[in-house]
Amino acid sequence: MTVLVTGAGVIGSLTAALLAARGVSVAMIDVRAPQHVPDGVEFEICDVADADALADTISRYKVEKIVHTAAMLSTGIRQDPLAGIRVNVMGTANLLDLARRMSLKRIVCASSTTVAYTSFGAHGPEPIAEDEALHLISQRPASIYAAAKLAGEHLALLYRDLYGVDVVSLRYGAVLGGPLDRPTSVPGRLLSVLVAGARAGKTIVLDDPLLLWGGREEFVDARDCARANLCALDAAAPKQGVYNVAPGEWHTLPDFIAAVRRRYPPLKVEYPADIQTGFAGFPHRRPAPSATDWAKREIGFTAAYNLDAAVEYWAGST
C-alpha cells in the first residue's frame, strides 16, 4: 500500500516521515521541491489542481490512501485569490473525485478551525463543537481561505454521502511549528519574532495586529497535526467525518510570551495593554477552546504536546 501526501510543508513532511517510520510506502507531492525530503519518502512535483497529473501519480504509485495537506495560505490568497480557489477548492475536489473513480480506501483532508471564527461573537462558554451553528450570511467565512476550507469540508461530506468516498476532514487549531527562518503560520511568525529578539538581546515591540490577540487562543503543535492525520487514516469507523484537532487548552498573549521566556529568559517584550481583537486581528475574541471529545472517541486522537512543549521544541528549530 502506498499513501500519497499532498503538500511538502511542515505538516505534510511530518506526516510523511511518521508514515515512512512505520515502514509504509509514501509518496509526497508539491508544486515545488522542499529543502528536505524525509528519509524513505518518494517526492515529485505535481499540482493538486491538475487532475490528469494527479491521476497519473496515483496510478504509478498504486496509491490506496491520501493525506491532503496541500493549500495556499491566507497571505498568498490575498495576493492571488483565483489561484487560492483553484488550489484549495478545485485541488480538494480533484482528489475527492479521483478517490471516487479509483476506489481509494481513505482520504484525510486538512481543514481549519477558522471556518467557525465568525460564530465567536454569538457563542457561549461551552467548548466549540464541530457542528457549530452558523448563519449562512451574517456568519459567513471571513476570508477566502476559510471559505475554501469550509467548501472542502462540505464537498468531502457530499462525496461521502452521495458516492461512498471514505473521507475524513480535520480542523487544525492555530498551528505552531516549522523552521523559525521560514515561518508559514501566524503562531510561527510570532515565535520567530520573539526568539530572534531574545537571541539578539533586544526588546521586542509587538505592534503588528496579526501577532496580537485579546482574551485567549488555542494552539496545536504541528507534530500533533501529523499524529492526527495518522489516527484519521487508521480509524475504523469515523462516522461524524469532521474533527477538531486541538489540545483543549487556550492561552493569552502573556501566556505565549511566558512560554518563550522559559526557553529564553532574557526575552523582553512590549505590547499594547488593552487588545480588543481576537487572534490574528479577527474582530471577535475566542469564547472557548475547541471540543475534542469526537476526535478522541472516533479517531483515537488526543494531543500530546501542550504550549510549553511546542515552544520548547520549535524555538530551537532553523
Side-chain angles (χ1 to χ4, degrees):
M1 177 193 77
T2 295
V3 178
L4 176 67
V5 177
T6 74
V10 178
I11 296 172
S13 294
L14 288 169
T15 302
L18 288 178
L19 288 166
R22 282 184 170 186
V24 174
S25 173
V26 186
M28 185 168 64
I29 62 171
D30 204 318
V31 293
R32 60 185 61 86
Q35 291 195 347
H36 171 72
V37 175
D39 292 341
V41 175
E42 296 286 339
F43 175 82
E44 66 178 62
I45 300 292
C46 183
D47 187 346
V48 292
D50 186 337
D52 291 338
L54 271 178
D56 177 66
T57 299
I58 291 170
S59 295
R60 283 189 290 105
Y61 282 101
K62 296 180 173 57
V63 170
E64 295 185 359
K65 295 183 178 182
I66 299 174
V67 178
H68 176 39
T69 72
M72 278 185 69
L73 302 180
S74 292
T75 301
I77 293 175
R78 290 190 194 102
Q79 296 172 354
D80 193 344
L82 283 180
I85 293 167
R86 181 178 64 85
V87 172
N88 292 12
V89 179
M90 285 307 303
T92 300
N94 284 337
L95 287 162
L96 290 168
D97 203 59
L98 287 169
R100 174 186 69 86
R101 289 159 44 197
M102 304 174 81
S103 301
L104 303 187
K105 290 184 177 180
R106 173 71 53 85
I107 176 170
V108 177
C109 295
S111 188
S112 168
T113 58
T114 59
V115 301
Y117 271 30
T118 48
S119 73
F120 285 0
H123 197 281
E126 66 277 6
I128 299 170
E130 292 84 351
D131 197 15
E132 174 67 15
L134 291 172
H135 292 288
L136 291 177
I137 298 174
S138 62
Q139 294 180 340
R140 65 191 181 276
S143 67
I144 292 176
Y145 175 80
K149 287 299 185 183
L150 188 58
E153 288 185 9
H154 286 180
L155 287 170
L157 291 172
L158 285 167
Y159 265 81
R160 183 191 69 175
D161 297 343
L162 298 176
Y163 305 113
V165 172
D166 191 344
V167 57
V168 174
S169 296
L170 301 180
R171 288 181 186 163
Y172 305 145
V175 178
L176 181 57
L180 292 177
D181 57 349
R182 301 184 303 279
T184 56
S185 68
V186 173
R189 280 183 54 204
L190 177 58
L191 182 62
S192 178
V193 167
L194 295 177
V195 170
R199 289 174 175 174
K202 297 180 179 179
T203 297
I204 298 299
V205 179
L206 289 179
D207 53 9
D208 182 344
L210 292 180
L211 302 183
L212 301 169
W213 68 94
R216 291 180 282 179
E217 183 53 67
E218 65 182 10
F219 302 95
V220 60
D221 193 308
R223 295 173 295 172
D224 272 329
C225 295
R227 292 179 54 248
N229 289 340
L230 268 63
C231 287
L233 277 181
D234 295 341
K239 294 180 181 179
Q240 178 166 269
V242 180
Y243 305 92
N244 291 327
V245 174
E249 302 174 351
W250 53 339
H251 301 279
T252 64
L253 176 59
D255 290 341
F256 195 104
I257 293 170
V260 180
R261 187 174 286 119
R262 282 189 281 275
R263 180 71 163 75
Y264 292 97
L267 177 65
K268 297 180 181 179
V269 186
E270 296 177 359
Y271 54 90
D274 187 20
I275 306 167
Q276 296 300 317
T277 58
F279 183 67
F282 189 76
H284 299 299
R285 294 183 177 188
R286 173 178 281 277
S290 295
T292 59
D293 49 338
W294 279 103
K296 293 175 185 177
R297 184 161 50 245
E298 291 202 349
I299 66 172
F301 170 75
T302 301
Y305 306 104
N306 61 17
L307 180 62
D308 276 324
V311 167
E312 175 66 24
Y313 183 82
W314 294 107
S317 64
T318 54

